[in-house]
């Protein structure tokens, strides 16, 4: 049973419901995706998401008595389900309401638009009930609402997350190393529905390779080493290329080398590819800008450049 | 937490301690490295239904792989038959294997080459009498190299980037497996083999070998020759001196294949001061108390004490030299055929078949 911040049972709280808002950022695909051994000794499908705070989804929940949730825009079923599950979790099944989603996250390209909506909706609903939820609760509710879900509930923390179970496999460290990401969409006309793409069936060598990749990811995060983390992302992207190949992958690999990027990452079930630059390197911003203009010159669309944990003014 | 903690006593044997031997040289010191592939191969065979509860395991082994199998068979309740040779298995290891419940068959090895063919023939005879028995086939089973993702994981988790990997080669599982997994993230990493004269692994003609535990008189499928940038042939006397030095200077009580590997790795680390070299040490010294770690045994060897070489003699041709020598060739990721073509010579005709 979740208690409210002031210690009262949420069920006794309906008189105090208010309009709640919640927010969640997008991601830019993954640094690593595969299967990983958990503390239970079993294999879990898992991933390390690359946060993308450039895009956000904001949800507002107007509660009212009586069940049923309507969304604006209409038909945001996953977000609506998330709000319903959150109300059930807070023992407020008699409450319904209206959920408004305002999102800048492009849909269907691997930015995690639906997860961002779902997490924002869970937060908005909890805020309406004046309840603070733990990150793991938000993550579990998000997975329950949409079957597979990225760990946006962890607000940019470097986590290895089992996206189909809502399980935190490992907190890799306090923060990502400084990264500059130059991303693009290699197939903007072929949006991917994560749930319709069947999960990759990995071979024995790949399954064992994922041990090494998660081990190096943990070292890279602890050491604040962007280059090593980019090596992990590159290896994971190459494995992904065997399962869900992306157009222009080889061209972008060459471009990564040619522009001094330290690696590249992909949205494993989307159409994004990002070149990764070491934010601790003195010429990283200039190199990233050059790479961005190369991508645009190659006719690639939705080119974005953003920074993660880099100090100083861009 | 208590319920989730799952380690068994045997896990410790397969987990190396990492020791810094020089600012740019780290040793991965295993109590019994072979337990790592043995456990993985068994796990996989169980999962595939090839090995049933209470089943029978048969294998030919020069020692440590047999010990690993015997430990696992004892703990998991399997019957185990091992074939070895009289030059390979010392009395105290044999007693330990028997104490663990293994059945041992010894074939003679008059010319001291390891009697690999005779051992395999004996093994075939056992298998035809026990068709249900499971044969791990460490020389050819891809689960042998695959087991070493766990070593690669430990290395990168602890050290980050690895620039060079050095270790002994017998079945090829440890070096080829670890190297392949590390190169998934560090494709430029250098891989350096420690072999010994008259082992056929890298193109020598088969012959008598003083240093046991590495090298081979057959070429296993698990040796991927194209993984290696450099190959070293360490003579027995050089390996033994290095094993004793490792004990004296670092307190690391290890077997002679570890000594050979450390000799090569220390030299490599001195040649490349800006790179991190990792060296694999497969077992501890207890099994060699009466031999390599015994001064009287060493003094009885022709040529002992040997002058410790400061570095290898770089060869242009594949040619076995004496037990007091240490040689190397810039292999440069060649196949065995390409190396035979490029480095020719030094081959007895029977090694070409
Ligand atoms: C003591 C010792 N060193 C080295 C090796 C060689 O390792 P691998 O078989 O993985 O090539 C072995 C293999 O049996 C060994 O027992």
């Amino acid at each position: 049973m979740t208690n409210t911040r002031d210690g009262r049972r949420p069920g006794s709280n309906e008189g105090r419901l208010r309009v709640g808002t919640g927010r969640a950022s997008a991601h830019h695909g993954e640094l690593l995706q595969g299967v990983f051994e958990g503390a239970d000794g079993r294999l879990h499908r898992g991933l390390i998401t690359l946060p993308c705070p450039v895009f956000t989804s904001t949800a507002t929940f107007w509660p009212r008595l009586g069940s049923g949730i309507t969304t604006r825009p209409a038909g945001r079923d996953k977000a609506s389900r998330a709000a319903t599950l959150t109300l059930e979790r807070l023992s407020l099944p008699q409450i319904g309401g209206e959920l408004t989603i305002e999102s800048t996250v492009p849909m269907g390209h691997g930015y995690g638009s639906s997860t961002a909506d779902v997490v924002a909706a869970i937060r908005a609903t909890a805020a309406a009930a004046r309840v603070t939820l733990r990150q793991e609760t938000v993550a579990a509710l998000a997975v329950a609402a949409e079957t597979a879900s990225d760990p946006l509930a962890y607000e940019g923390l470097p986590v290895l997350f089992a996206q189909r179970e809502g399980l935190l496999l490992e907190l890799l460290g306090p923060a990502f190393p400084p990264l500059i990401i130059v991303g693009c969409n290699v197939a903007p006309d072929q949006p991917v529905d994560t749930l319709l793409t069947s999960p990759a069936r990995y071979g024995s060598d790949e399954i064992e390779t994922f041990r090494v990749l998660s081990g190096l990811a943990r070292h890279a995060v602890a050491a604040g080493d962007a280059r090593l983390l980019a090596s992990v992302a590159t290896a994971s992207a190459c494995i992904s290329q065997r399962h869900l190949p992306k157009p222009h992958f080889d061209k972008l690999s060459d471009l990564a080398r040619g522009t001094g990027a330290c690696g590249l990452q992909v949205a494993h079930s989307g159409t994004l590819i990002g070149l990764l630059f070491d934010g601790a390197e003195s010429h990283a911003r200039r190199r990233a800008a050059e790479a961005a203009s190369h991508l645009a010159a190659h006719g690639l669309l939705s080119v974005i450049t953003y920074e993660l944990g880099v100090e100083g003014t861009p | 937490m208590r319920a989730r903690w799952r380690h068994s006593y045997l896990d410790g044997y397969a987990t190396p301690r990492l020791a810094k031997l020089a600012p740019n040289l780290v040793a991965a010191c295993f109590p019994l490295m072979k337990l790592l592939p043995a456990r993985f191969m068994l796990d996989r065979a169980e999962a595939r239904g090839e090995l049933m509860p209470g089943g029978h395991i048969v294998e030919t082994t020069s020692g440590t792989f047999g010990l690993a199998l015997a430990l696992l068979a004892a703990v998991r309740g399997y019957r185990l038959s091992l074939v070895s040779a009289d030059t390979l298995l010392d009395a105290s290891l044999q007693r330990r294997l028997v104490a663990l419940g293994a059945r041992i068959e010894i074939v003679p090895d008059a010319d001291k080459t390891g009697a690999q063919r005779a051992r395999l023939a004996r093994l075939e005879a056992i298998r035809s009498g026990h068709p249900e028995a499971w044969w791990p086939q460490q020389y050819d089973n891809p689960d042998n190299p695959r087991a070493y993702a766990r070593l690669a994981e430990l290395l990168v988790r602890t050290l980050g980037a690895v620039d060079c990997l050095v270790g002994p080669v017998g079945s090829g599982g440890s070096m080829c497996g670890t190297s392949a997994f590390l190169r998934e993230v560090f494709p430029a990493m250098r891989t350096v083999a420690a072999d010994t004269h008259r082992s056929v692994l890298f193109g020598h003609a088969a012959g008598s070998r003083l240093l046991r535990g590495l090298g081979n008189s057959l070429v296993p499928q698990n040796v991927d020759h194209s993984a290696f940038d450099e190959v070293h042939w360490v003579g027995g006397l050089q390996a033994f001196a290095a094993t004793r030095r490792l004990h004296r200077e670092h307190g690391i009580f290890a077997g002679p294949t570890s000594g050979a590997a450390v000799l090569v790795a220390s030299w490599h680390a001195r040649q490349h001061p800006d790179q991190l070299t990792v060296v694999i040490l497969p077992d501890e010294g207890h099994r060699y108390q009466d031999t390599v770690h015994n001064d009287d045994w060493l003094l009885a060897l022709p040529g002992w004490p040997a002058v410790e070489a400061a570095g290898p003699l770089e060869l242009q041709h594949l040619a076995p030299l004496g037990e007091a020598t240490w040689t190397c060739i810039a292999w440069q990721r060649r196949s065995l055929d390409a190396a035979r073509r490029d480095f020719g010579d030094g081959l007895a005709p029977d090694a070409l078949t």
Side-chain angles (χ1 to χ4, degrees):
Chain A
M1 172 68 68
T2 308
N3 282 5
T4 57
R5 235 179 311 200
D6 57 7
R8 278 191 288 158
R9 284 285 179 99
S12 64
N13 252 348
E14 51 191 87
R16 302 180 60 232
L17 286 173
R18 58 177 177 184
V19 176
T21 58
R23 211 182 256 282
S25 320
H27 63 72
H28 198 276
E30 299 78 29
L31 290 162
L32 173 60
Q33 180 163 327
V35 292
F36 305 93
E37 191 178 312
D40 55 2
R42 292 191 306 110
L43 289 176
H44 304 263
R45 288 185 181 273
L47 46 76
I48 301 173
T49 286
L50 177 63
C52 180
V54 175
F55 304 119
T56 54
S57 174
T58 307
T60 311
F61 184 59
W62 279 271
R64 60 174 148 62
L65 211 55
S67 60
I69 306 243
T70 55
T71 65
R72 256 195 323 189
R76 297 295 170 100
D77 294 344
K78 289 177 183 173
S80 147
R81 245 163 72 71
T84 306
L85 289 169
T86 306
L87 290 167
E88 282 170 11
R89 163 90 195 187
L90 300 177
S91 306
L92 294 168
Q94 70 281 28
I95 299 297
E98 186 165 22
L99 188 65
T100 309
I101 309 260
E102 292 159 284
S103 174
T104 61
V105 189
M107 285 164 71
H109 300 311
Y111 289 111
S113 58
S114 87
T115 301
D117 292 351
V118 159
V119 170
I122 294 165
R123 289 188 173 140
T125 311
R130 300 169 195 261
V131 168
T132 307
L133 294 174
R134 292 170 61 89
Q135 287 170 336
E136 65 211 53
T137 308
V138 178
L141 286 168
V143 171
E146 58 168 359
T147 312
S149 172
D150 304 285
L152 298 182
Y154 287 94
E155 308 195 60
L157 282 175
V159 294
L160 181 61
F161 183 74
Q163 72 272 23
R164 287 169 185 270
E165 301 163 80
L167 193 67
L168 179 70
L169 295 175
E170 189 171 352
L171 174 61
L172 299 167
F176 282 106
L179 283 169
I180 304 177
I181 298 100
V182 179
C184 65
N185 191 338
V186 289
D189 45 349
Q190 301 162 29
V192 174
D193 185 326
T194 315
L195 291 181
L196 292 182
T197 2
S198 57
R201 294 190 54 81
Y202 298 110
S204 308
D205 285 324
E206 290 173 339
I207 290 173
E208 294 306 310
T209 299
F210 289 131
R211 279 180 202 289
V212 184
L213 299 188
S214 63
L216 186 58
R218 170 178 242 222
H219 179 93
V221 168
D225 190 325
R227 299 192 143 264
L228 290 181
L229 193 59
S231 307
V232 172
T234 304
S236 184
C238 290
I239 293 175
S240 169
Q241 194 62 10
R242 299 201 280 261
H243 295 275
L244 187 70
K246 288 181 197 1
H248 308 300
F249 185 82
D250 294 337
K251 186 161 78 188
L252 271 107
S253 293
D254 291 344
L255 200 67
R257 271 187 291 275
T259 54
C262 48
L264 89 182
Q265 56 79 228
V266 299
H268 289 65
S269 56
T271 55
L272 302 176
I273 298 187
L275 307 190
L276 302 172
F277 293 83
D278 179 356
E281 218 177 62
S282 51
H283 300 301
R285 284 193 175 115
R286 184 170 52 70
R287 288 180 170 171
E290 282 166 12
S293 54
H294 277 297
L295 290 182
H298 276 87
L300 288 157
L301 295 175
S302 327
V303 177
I304 60 165
T305 302
Y306 70 97
E307 301 186 354
L308 214 56
V310 185
E311 291 192 335
T313 343
Chain B
M1 227 20 234
R2 199 174 288 188
R4 275 171 59 175
W5 192 80
R6 299 176 298 113
H7 290 275
S8 81
Y9 177 78
L10 296 187
D11 290 344
Y13 280 129
T15 309
R17 273 183 285 179
L18 298 187
K20 202 159 206 170
L21 303 186
N24 65 333
L25 177 59
V26 174
C29 313
F30 282 93
L32 182 60
M33 179 183 78
K34 280 290 171 174
L35 194 77
L36 189 64
R39 185 182 59 192
F40 191 75
M41 285 185 253
L42 243 72
D43 287 346
R44 299 285 305 238
E46 288 171 356
R48 284 194 288 256
E50 292 167 11
L51 180 58
M52 295 305 196
H56 186 184
I57 304 171
V58 295
E59 182 59 296
T60 157
T61 164
S62 62
T64 56
F65 187 61
L67 178 57
L69 286 177
L71 290 164
L72 290 165
V75 168
R76 299 191 185 184
Y78 295 114
R79 280 192 303 140
L80 174 65
S81 301
L82 294 173
V83 180
S84 195
D86 52 10
T87 49
L88 301 179
L89 203 53
D90 51 282
S92 71
L93 178 63
Q94 192 166 344
R95 276 195 297 276
R96 192 164 170 208
L97 294 173
V98 170
L100 285 163
R103 260 197 56 182
I104 319 268
E105 301 214 15
I106 302 288
V107 301
D109 177 22
D111 56 357
K112 292 189 163 48
T113 56
Q116 191 74 267
R117 285 175 206 280
R119 282 154 57 196
L120 285 168
R122 188 73 204 94
L123 182 82
E124 270 316 309
I126 299 178
R127 290 184 65 223
S128 61
H130 300 272
E132 80 301 340
W134 176 68
W135 177 24
Q137 256 181 297
Q138 65 147 332
Y139 292 133
D140 304 326
N141 184 341
D143 286 335
N144 174 2
R146 217 170 259 151
Y148 289 89
R150 287 173 191 263
L151 173 58
E153 176 193 6
L154 178 82
L155 293 175
V156 299
R157 214 174 242 265
T158 314
L159 306 170
V162 176
D163 302 307
C164 176
L165 180 73
V166 182
V169 181
S171 69
S174 52
M175 281 299 289
C176 298
T178 312
S179 165
F181 286 116
L182 288 174
R183 280 181 178 160
E184 288 281 329
V185 274
F186 310 121
M189 185 191 75
R190 294 176 60 78
T191 302
V192 178
D195 192 5
T196 194
H197 306 293
R198 285 165 295 281
S199 147
V200 305
L201 286 179
F202 294 95
H204 280 190
S208 156
R209 290 175 274 146
L210 180 59
L211 173 58
R212 312 303 318 206
L214 57 65
N216 212 315
S217 52
L218 295 176
V219 181
Q221 280 174 32
N222 278 333
V223 175
D224 172 10
H225 294 86
S226 68
F228 295 94
D229 296 286
E230 235 173 78
V231 174
H232 290 245
W233 291 269
V234 180
L237 300 177
Q238 292 296 332
F240 300 160
T243 308
R244 298 297 296 265
R245 180 183 283 278
L246 183 63
H247 190 207
R248 206 166 53 244
E249 292 185 352
H250 297 280
I252 299 177
F253 187 53
T257 65
S258 298
V262 168
L263 180 69
V264 172
S266 304
W267 176 78
H268 195 280
R270 286 194 302 273
Q271 301 295 310
H272 303 277
D274 53 335
Q275 295 187 3
L276 179 69
T277 296
V278 169
V279 57
I280 299 177
L281 278 56
D283 74 348
E284 292 182 336
H286 310 288
R287 197 185 152 198
Y288 316 96
Q289 296 261 35
D290 295 332
T291 55
V292 178
H293 288 286
N294 176 349
D295 288 343
D296 295 337
W297 183 87
L298 286 174
L299 280 169
L301 292 176
W304 185 268
V307 178
E308 290 180 55
L313 181 66
E314 184 158 358
L315 301 179
Q316 305 305 320
H317 297 283
L318 291 162
L321 295 183
E323 296 292 358
T325 65
W326 163 20
T327 60
C328 77
I329 264 180
W331 191 269
Q332 294 174 327
R333 307 196 185 187
R334 283 176 170 82
S335 68
L336 185 53
D337 285 343
R340 281 176 166 149
R341 193 182 57 230
D342 297 350
F343 302 127
D345 292 358
L347 296 170
D350 68 335
L352 290 166
T353 55

